[in-house]
Amino acid sequence: MNIEKLLGKNASYLLDHQCKTISKEKLHLPGPNFIDEVCMVSDRSPRVLGSLQQIFEHGRLSGTGYVSILPVDQGVEHSAGASFAPNPEYFDPANIVKLAMEGGCNAVASTLGVLGSISRKYAHKIPFLVKLNHNELLSYPNTFNQIYFAQVEQAWNMGAVAVGATIYFGSKESDRQIQETSIAFKRAHELGMATVLWCYLRNDAFKKDKDYSVSADLTGQANHLGVTIEADIIKQKQPENNGGYLALQNFGKTNKLVYSMLTTDHPIDLTRYQVANCYMGRAGLINSGGASSGDDDFEKAVFTAVVNKRAGGMGLISGRKAFQRPMKEGVELLHSIQDVYLDKQVTIA
């Protein structure tokens, strides 16, 4: 794959950038020995470390310390029709898992029902990550509230190596979501499973002159809260701007050094601030791949992967860009993401 060609006019902007905010030497970077050098000193049990190792040792990125995960929980999150109408074969959970396997992913993430329906055939062939809570849009009027659809024990019984959850930080329900997810993650660790947290911001007040739910300072703090409840891997939207704290009046606390020394307006520097808030990379940062927009999906996926890798992140979790197209093209898109992490010419900024 020609990364520079796919990046187009952004090639030099991304590939030649050098981060002068937070030095890469201060980060705990992904690598073949990440479990031994970083995770081993934590309070994670040998069984949790083994579960993480299964994820790191699977797929095309095996042994690199980077991860490529296929997430398909949108059948609940957005509706099955909205998600699978472009490619109806993915109404069948077996095809979701086949895409992850043929796409060379480290793991497949989906709902209890999707993974449970085919677990005896596939749970031993690719690491399963069961998403425990979801935001369903069948309630009228629509609400935006993550509620639990599954229990940790159900994920453990089907042979999953990890569980995932979403917290809508900033929402009126976030207190409950934090407490519920903290309990669930504690139980998952007791049973030897790894934990992945979708650290999303959700509040109409975050939308001012810009959508500050994707600002580096606010998403960085969401990451910090996620690692605080012992998420092993943090999933976050890549930052598109900065200054959320400054735009909101009488909200939280920040420091001018965040904006003058720890960040710039470059996407790699903004994403590095997200990594820093993941305890300087002790918990891996994976960025989300975003919605499918059609012909430029490959370019956007590679852009996101290059920014994540050069910032010190651990990989990408990309779903709709892959499964809302024919399987062969979906496999190619997943491979294009993974090629970024396999390319030694794409270095840490």
Side-chain angles (χ1 to χ4, degrees), residues 10-27:
N10 291 309
S12 177
Y13 179 62
L14 295 182
L15 296 174
D16 296 336
H17 176 73
Q18 293 302 314
C19 184
K20 298 180 180 179
T21 55
I22 298 171
S23 169
K24 64 182 179 182
E25 284 75 23
K26 297 182 183 297
L27 301 178

Side-chain angles (χ1 to χ4, degrees), residues 118-303:
I118 37 79
S119 62
R120 290 183 185 273
K121 185 172 183 178
Y122 291 112
H124 60 292
K125 296 180 180 179
I126 183 171
F128 276 14
L129 192 170
V130 177
K131 186 73 162 38
L132 299 174
N133 65 355
H134 305 282
N135 173 52
E136 61 85 19
L137 294 179
L138 195 56
S139 298
Y140 186 84
N142 284 164
T143 58
F144 296 92
N145 182 18
Q146 291 285 329
I147 58 175
Y148 272 72
F149 280 67
Q151 305 303 312
V152 174
E153 289 79 6
Q154 292 173 294
W156 181 80
N157 279 328
M158 77 165 67
V161 302
V163 298
T166 296
I167 294 176
Y168 283 154
F169 290 104
S171 70
K172 64 180 181 181
E173 299 87 8
S174 63
D175 286 358
R176 172 187 56 77
Q177 293 170 7
I178 291 169
Q179 294 173 66
E180 289 176 348
T181 302
S182 176
I183 292 170
F185 280 11
K186 173 179 178 291
R187 182 58 176 151
H189 280 156
E190 289 173 347
L191 292 174
M193 290 185 289
T195 56
V196 181
L197 187 63
W198 280 240
C199 291
Y200 288 170
L201 295 170
R202 173 79 70 168
N203 194 310
D204 288 340
F206 293 149
K207 296 180 180 180
K208 299 286 189 179
D209 58 312
K210 301 175 182 178
D211 182 2
Y212 290 106
S213 68
V214 286
S215 70
D217 54 354
L218 294 183
T219 56
Q221 180 60 19
N223 292 356
H224 199 76
L225 296 179
V227 186
T228 297
I229 63 173
E230 295 206 330
D232 298 311
I233 296 175
I234 295 293
K235 180 195 176 188
Q236 182 58 269
K237 296 179 181 179
Q238 211 160 74
E240 298 177 11
N241 55 64
N242 204 3
Y245 273 112
L246 303 178
L248 297 168
Q249 296 181 349
N250 301 316
F251 175 73
K253 294 181 182 294
T254 188
N255 190 298
K256 62 182 181 180
L257 295 176
V258 171
Y259 313 98
S260 63
M261 293 186 63
L262 301 185
T263 61
T264 71
D265 61 358
H266 197 286
I268 292 173
D269 295 344
L270 295 177
T271 305
R272 174 146 307 174
Y273 188 70
Q274 288 186 339
V275 174
N277 274 278
C278 294
Y279 293 178
M280 285 295 190
R282 288 186 182 273
L285 171 70
I286 55 177
N287 287 129
S288 54
S292 175
S293 56
D295 294 338
D296 62 349
D297 280 351
F298 281 76
E299 290 84 350
K300 288 184 176 179
V302 169
F303 181 102

Side-chain angles (χ1 to χ4, degrees), residues 73-94:
D73 61 340
Q74 289 89 346
V76 175
E77 291 276 347
H78 303 154
S79 89
S83 302
F84 304 136
N87 202 355
E89 66 179 325
Y90 290 111
F91 277 104
D92 185 344

